[in-house]
Amino acid sequence: MPRRPVPRRPIAPIAPIAEFPVSGSDAGPYGITCGPDGALWFTMVHDGRIGRVTTDGEVTSYQLESASGGPSIITTGPDDALWFTEFRSHRIGRITTTGNITSFPLPTPDAGPFGITAGPDEALWFTEARANRIGRITPDGDVTEFPLPLSGAFPSAIATGPDGRLWFTMNQANAIGAIEYDGHVTVHPLPVPDSAPVGITAGADGAMWFVEIGAGRIGRITPDGKIDEFALPDPASRPHAIAADADGNCWFTEWGANRIGRITPDGRIDEHDLPSPSSEPHGITLGPDGAIWTALEIGTVARLTPR
């Protein structure tokens, strides 16, 4: 049976959080990642821009061809460029650290690409939420698409696993999937109904960690499919994205509760309130400075320095 420990309130010291303005309040900073140049790169989902902020707060932004394309998740590719999904324009984008932008249309109309990650095969793997597929794109733009065995699954976030497979959440199918290079998909249903998993990341413990936005839980799944779930203190906190740090912990955003949370490998949960109210935290990543960086839709990014 999956573990469901009693929720624990924060017991760790309060971590300092700084916020950096990076855009207007309606631009919507959303996905964020650590770039190969030692800066943080982020998407502006409502403004059709890609942003860059240094660890001391210097901001640059780049306009995409379509202001309404909906850039969502961003990651560093094997070519030392940043790759991102454009959910509404159904394209995969690429931007170099000097700001040169390329865009690749997808073969399937209305695909709705959302999650993206660098695979171990020197390609980028991404989800097609609306088309119910997993996609693969090489650095020169060749795209392959693999259909999922479940209809209406709404694949969301994706991450490379310790076993070399690509692991992804199926938000509407209440399941976690793993896909091999040939397109074979293994499906792992989640124990709690309507948990609506979104973010997923590879933990330092050899398992994948994910968030359940519908159930207010953090999940853990081993490569052989064993699932544990950990309830958050606030079941309505709506955890959204998750990232691993160098110490074996995972950090996650609580979109509905305006917090950043941390879960240790043994399931202890600590939470940190964000300074600005209703800041809508979404993407989260480990920065080059060892801090946790979060994109806030109100037009800022937050840096949490762990203690």
Side-chain angles (χ1 to χ4, degrees):
M1 292 291 291
R3 290 179 285 174
R4 298 190 179 95
V6 175
R8 280 173 275 186
R9 292 291 178 182
I11 60 174
I14 299 300
I17 299 175
E19 291 185 6
F20 300 90
V22 295
S23 71
S25 59
D26 57 352
Y30 192 85
I32 190 168
T33 193
C34 182
D37 57 350
L40 288 304
W41 289 76
F42 57 95
T43 59
M44 288 179 259
V45 68
H46 303 311
D47 210 20
R49 300 179 73 87
I50 302 298
R52 175 185 184 271
V53 61
T54 63
T55 53
D56 58 4
E58 181 183 346
V59 180
T60 311
S61 70
Y62 303 91
Q63 182 66 58
L64 302 180
E65 181 179 352
S66 172
S68 60
S72 300
I73 307 302
I74 188 167
T75 194
T76 296
D79 55 353
D80 285 337
L82 289 303
W83 289 75
F84 55 93
T85 54
E86 295 184 65
F87 184 81
R88 290 194 290 268
S89 61
H90 315 294
R91 304 173 76 90
I92 301 298
R94 176 185 183 271
I95 184 170
T96 66
T97 54
T98 57
N100 183 34
I101 298 170
T102 312
S103 185
F104 303 94
L106 296 178
T108 300
D110 301 323
F114 182 73
I116 190 168
T117 192
D121 57 347
E122 299 297 309
L124 286 302
W125 290 73
F126 57 93
T127 61
E128 297 184 8
R130 290 181 175 170
N132 214 52
R133 296 167 182 258
I134 300 297
R136 176 185 184 272
I137 185 169
T138 63
D140 58 3
D142 289 334
V143 177
T144 309
E145 297 173 308
F146 303 97
L148 296 181
L150 301 177
S151 61
F154 206 83
S156 298
I158 188 168
T160 297
D163 56 356
R165 291 184 293 173
L166 286 304
W167 289 74
F168 57 96
T169 54
M170 289 184 268
N171 179 262
Q172 296 300 301
N174 207 55
I176 304 297
I179 186 169
E180 301 174 25
Y181 297 158
D182 62 359
H184 175 74
V185 175
T186 302
V187 175
H188 301 281
L190 295 178
V192 176
D194 302 319
S195 59
V198 185
I200 190 168
T201 193
D205 58 351
M208 304 300 292
W209 290 76
F210 56 94
V211 297
E212 300 178 8
I213 195 170
R217 294 169 181 261
I218 306 299
R220 177 185 183 272
I221 184 169
T222 61
D224 61 0
K226 181 179 182 294
I227 296 171
D228 294 314
E229 294 175 302
F230 305 90
L232 298 179
D234 179 0
S237 59
R238 298 187 68 77
H240 181 84
I242 188 167
D245 69 13
D247 297 324
N249 306 303
C250 288
W251 295 79
F252 52 93
T253 52
E254 295 183 49
W255 176 67
N258 204 50
R259 298 188 190 107
I260 296 172
R262 183 189 73 167
I263 186 167
T264 63
D266 63 355
R268 193 189 79 196
I269 294 167
D270 305 313
E271 296 175 304
H272 306 276
D273 292 327
L274 288 163
S276 295
S278 303
S279 60
E280 296 191 66
H282 283 286
I284 192 167
T285 193
L286 176 66
D289 53 355
I292 303 300
W293 290 74
T294 302
L296 310 179
E297 273 208 62
I298 59 169
T300 63
V301 296
R303 181 188 65 202
L304 182 153
T305 305
R307 285 182 171 173

